[in-house]
Amino acid sequence: MECRILSIQSHVVRGYVGNKSATFPLQVLGFEVDSINSVQFSNHTGWFCLFRVELETIFYPWYCKDKSFLEVVVSIIQELKKATPGLVYVCDPVMGDHGLLYVPENLLPVYKNEVVPLADILTPNQFEAELLTGRKIKTEDDAVEVMDLLHEMGPDTVVLTSTDLPSKHGDQFLVALGSQKTSKVFRNPDGTSSSQKICMDIPQVDAVFVGTGDLFAAMLLAWTHHHPKDLKTAFEKTVSVMQHVVKRTFTYANEMAGPGNKPSAAQLELRMIQSKADIENPSVVVEAKVLQKSSHQKQ
Ligand SMILES: Nc1ncnc2c1ncn2[C@@H]1O[C@H](COP(=O)(O)OP(=O)(O)O)[C@@H](O)[C@H]1O
Ligand SMILES: Cc1ncc(COP(=O)(O)O)c(C=O)c1O
Ligand SMILES: [Mg+2]
Ligand code: NA
């Protein structure tokens, strides 16, 4: 069956974030992609200069911007869900990272009360998950608890795309976690949750990439479509694509920068087209660990 995706994200003229980071890889995987560009920039905000390409009547500070825009998105999703039973809404609640909020504060209640309840798949980073639940994540058990709280807000699948949790393999790894509800009755009588929880230590590349969160959400949508009841496999394929793309990008950026020089934001733009074969058929280079039930008991 032909599968169609509506992607509502920012557009950049040069480089890969938002829709530029999602459309090509989804098309490569055979999805029809309709895109709405929420805003149009010359390049992403990590570059030295940035131009807004058009001027709307309402000023949007950034990509997910102002309350009225988010509310328009909410009504689009409500309408589409009514018209299309089985529609899957992936929400990457882009609000900030590492303690820094980069959208107006009045967006938080809209995300909490309107957007997240509609989401089938949610992909916050640690900071965003903490904002949405009001809980800090300091341990793996905290992360499990936060993912359960997020399930209770709506989505059946939750992935913490990056956290600051220490990896057992050392500081060259970043930790991501996922949780998928395995039954409609989420809480067992003993208070534990009926969900599969997984954890992954991701080999970290020594650079800051932009557009990776957007690519992650797109690939998770594609691979959960193919493995709807197997988050472990979908997660491994998603992160494997990420590994191929960031490693290729890092090698290229260093070659361009020359020995001893740090690559620029422009040199670190994702090598998306060059990664076509890896996107189409990712060799699995990372393994997710299934967390034991005992590690996610409700306190
Ligand atoms: N420096 C990096 N090294 C390796 N993988 C990375 C790196 N940066 C991002 N990624 C990949 O991108 C994914 C999304 O991370 P990130 O871009 O920080 O988005 P978010 O802030 O939404 O978590 C990670 O799960 C990882 O797979
Ligand atoms: C226009 C725009 N969209 C999206 C992003 C988000 O990128 P990421 O996928 O790394 O979260 C950025 C980050 O700078 C951006 O400038
Ligand atoms: Mg991040
Ligand atoms: Na994310």
Side-chain angles (χ1 to χ4, degrees), residues 92 96-98 102 123-126 128 160-163 174 176 202-214 216 238-239 242-243 246:
D92 186 10
D97 208 350
H98 292 99
Y102 39 61
T123 59
N125 59 34
Q126 172 169 340
E128 291 154 349
L160 304 185
T161 49
S162 59
T163 70
L174 72 91
I202 303 174
Q204 190 153 10
V205 173
D206 184 23
V208 175
F209 299 98
V210 182
T212 36
D214 306 327
F216 189 104
T238 298
V239 175
M242 301 308 303
Q243 283 283 298
V246 296

Side-chain angles (χ1 to χ4, degrees), residues 81-282:
K81 283 206 159 187
K82 260 188 249 158
T84 320
L87 178 132
V88 174
Y89 170 40
V90 181
C91 172
D92 186 10
V94 178
M95 290 187 284
D97 208 350
H98 292 99
L100 184 71
L101 193 70
Y102 39 61
V103 296
E105 234 169 280
N106 67 354
L107 240 65
L108 181 58
V110 186
Y111 268 115
K112 268 193 194 165
N113 304 326
E114 296 178 56
V115 183
V116 174
L118 283 173
D120 300 286
I121 301 175
L122 191 74
T123 59
N125 59 34
Q126 172 169 340
F127 178 60
E128 291 154 349
E130 290 175 341
L131 281 174
L132 290 170
T133 58
R135 294 284 182 91
K136 282 266 176 280
I137 300 173
K138 297 211 174 77
T139 63
E140 187 178 279
D141 282 350
D142 294 340
V144 163
E145 185 82 18
V146 161
M147 291 192 291
D148 280 346
L149 288 171
L150 291 169
H151 280 313
E152 280 164 13
M153 292 167 76
D156 281 359
T157 302
V158 173
V159 170
L160 304 185
T161 49
S162 59
T163 70
D164 293 327
L165 292 177
S167 164
K168 288 164 197 79
H169 301 280
D171 58 6
Q172 299 304 302
F173 289 79
L174 72 91
V175 176
L177 296 103
S179 177
Q180 187 165 51
K181 276 165 73 165
T182 48
S183 108
K184 283 211 161 37
V185 184
F186 179 53
R187 287 288 181 197
N188 299 321
D190 64 353
T192 57
S193 64
S194 34
S195 59
Q196 187 188 51
K197 298 270 190 310
I198 53 178
C199 173
M200 195 185 270
D201 296 280
I202 303 174
Q204 190 153 10
V205 173
D206 184 23
V208 175
F209 299 98
V210 182
T212 36
D214 306 327
L215 178 62
F216 189 104
M219 293 301 91
L220 188 67
L221 171 60
W223 291 112
T224 51
H225 175 74
H226 291 299
H227 307 282
K229 295 208 157 58
D230 182 0
L231 183 62
K232 184 177 183 289
T233 301
F235 202 61
E236 286 172 346
K237 288 192 178 176
T238 298
V239 175
S240 295
V241 172
M242 301 308 303
Q243 283 283 298
H244 295 303
V245 174
V246 296
K247 285 187 172 156
R248 176 172 291 106
T249 303
F250 187 66
T251 303
Y252 172 82
N254 281 312
E255 269 168 28
M256 293 301 284
N261 299 323
K262 247 182 128 59
S264 66
Q267 289 162 337
L268 283 165
E269 282 289 356
L270 298 181
R271 299 293 279 168
M272 198 72 88
I273 295 167
Q274 297 75 6
S275 303
K276 179 173 168 284
D278 290 320
I279 294 166
E280 265 186 299
N281 192 14

Side-chain angles (χ1 to χ4, degrees), residues 37-40 52 54-60 65 69:
N37 298 328
S38 50
V39 70
Q40 184 170 211
R52 277 177 60 80
E54 90 243 89
L55 283 169
E56 289 98 345
T57 41
I58 310 160
F59 175 68
Y60 302 138
K65 320 157 216 183
F69 180 81

